[in-house]
Amino acid sequence: QVQLQESGPGLVRPSETLSLTCSIIGDSFIAYYWTWVRQPDGKGLEWIGRLYHTGNTNYNPSLKGRVTMSLDTSKNHFSLTLNSVTAADTAVYYCARGVVVPAAKWNYMDVWGKGTTVTVSS
Amino acid sequence: IVLTQSPGTVSLSPGDSATLSCRASQSVRSGYLAWYQQKPGQAPRLLIFGASSRATGIPDRFSGSGSGTDFTLTISRLEPEDFAVYYCQQYGSSYQNSFGRGTKLEIK
């Protein structure tokens, strides 16, 4: 059964870059959207973006060009980079597998990692 | 599309039935709506996709219904492990997918 595992620093300083990796265990990249979602403490879910196995990406416009996603097929993982972070970027970050839905532009997520907490603070 | 979930919090007892609402600001094409359950300290778990299809391993006491702008998640015969926060998500918009703010189902 597929598992996803997030990793990365738990503390990032303001104005610096947040970098996280999601390892895909027990599955391949093919035919899914690989997605990042975050959740500030006590708040709801925010979709950050997704990455298709072809390398195509879609990002949340609210993040204003600060986000980049990439995949490393040799290591079976994908990554999230968020630049110029502020305290508002403090959250639990989840990676998730998105199911391709024919005729739909977007997708739902059927497998989630456990999440990793990132705090932005000096 | 903005998703409004109601109520914000609902208090029920084990054995009761719960009806959670998700209302969209515009019609959700083809019923492209999912429901997730999230327990404290855990990741969300997919319950329902396509408005009414249960995900793998989800008990049949969970059911989804609705179309257009009004969707419902019904949980019959509440079990202690069902008390959690529930989120809806639409993925049919031509512009952006979105989540609702969640409904907290708490033990009365």
Side-chain angles (χ1 to χ4, degrees):
Chain A
Q1 184 174 351
V2 61
Q3 294 180 58
L4 303 178
Q5 186 169 330
E6 304 90 348
S7 59
L11 179 65
V12 182
R13 301 196 184 281
S15 79
E16 295 190 348
T17 297
L18 178 161
S19 295
L20 298 174
T21 295
C22 180
S23 297
I24 304 169
I25 304 162
D27 200 357
S28 75
F29 273 107
I30 305 298
Y32 291 104
Y33 285 107
W34 301 98
T35 304
W36 290 96
V37 175
R38 69 181 182 179
Q39 184 174 38
D41 188 31
K43 297 188 177 180
L45 302 168
E46 180 183 25
W47 183 85
I48 298 172
R50 69 178 184 182
L51 171 66
Y52 196 51
H53 73 270
T54 58
N56 289 348
T57 55
N58 299 101
Y59 302 133
N60 190 326
S62 71
L63 294 171
K64 297 178 182 178
R66 296 193 294 129
V67 62
T68 304
M69 295 180 184
S70 61
L71 60 84
D72 186 330
T73 56
S74 66
K75 296 181 179 178
N76 222 41
H77 73 211
F78 62 105
S79 299
L80 167 70
T81 299
L82 184 65
N83 300 323
S84 305
V85 297
T86 69
D89 296 310
T90 295
V92 176
Y93 285 75
Y94 297 101
C95 59
R97 187 178 77 173
V99 177
V100 175
V101 179
K105 182 173 181 179
W106 306 103
N107 55 268
Y108 60 90
M109 286 70 74
D110 68 338
V111 178
W112 295 67
K114 292 183 177 181
T116 187
T117 299
V118 177
T119 301
V120 178
S121 176
S122 55
Chain B
I1 296 178
V2 177
L3 299 177
T4 301
Q5 292 189 242
S6 61
T9 302
V10 56
S11 301
L12 294 169
S13 300
D16 288 347
S17 291
T19 302
L20 282 57
S21 173
C22 177
R23 179 163 290 177
S25 59
Q26 302 173 41
S27 181
V28 177
R29 190 168 65 91
S30 300
Y32 289 144
L33 189 116
W35 289 93
Y36 302 88
Q37 176 194 67
Q38 188 179 34
K39 298 178 182 179
Q42 296 186 19
R45 177 175 72 143
L46 176 68
L47 299 175
I48 301 287
F49 62 93
S52 61
S53 297
R54 272 189 299 276
T56 303
I58 301 303
D60 61 6
R61 65 177 185 275
F62 290 88
S63 63
S65 62
S67 63
T69 60
D70 291 307
F71 297 87
T72 300
L73 175 69
T74 301
I75 314 169
S76 58
R77 308 180 307 278
L78 283 167
E79 299 281 348
E81 62 266 27
D82 297 337
F83 292 90
V85 179
Y86 292 83
Y87 294 95
C88 57
Q89 178 220 358
Q90 66 79 20
Y91 49 96
S93 168
S94 60
Y95 176 64
Q96 192 64 44
N97 71 145
S98 53
F99 289 98
R101 293 191 172 187
T103 289
K104 182 178 181 181
L105 175 58
E106 64 178 23
I107 298 178
K108 188 173 183 179

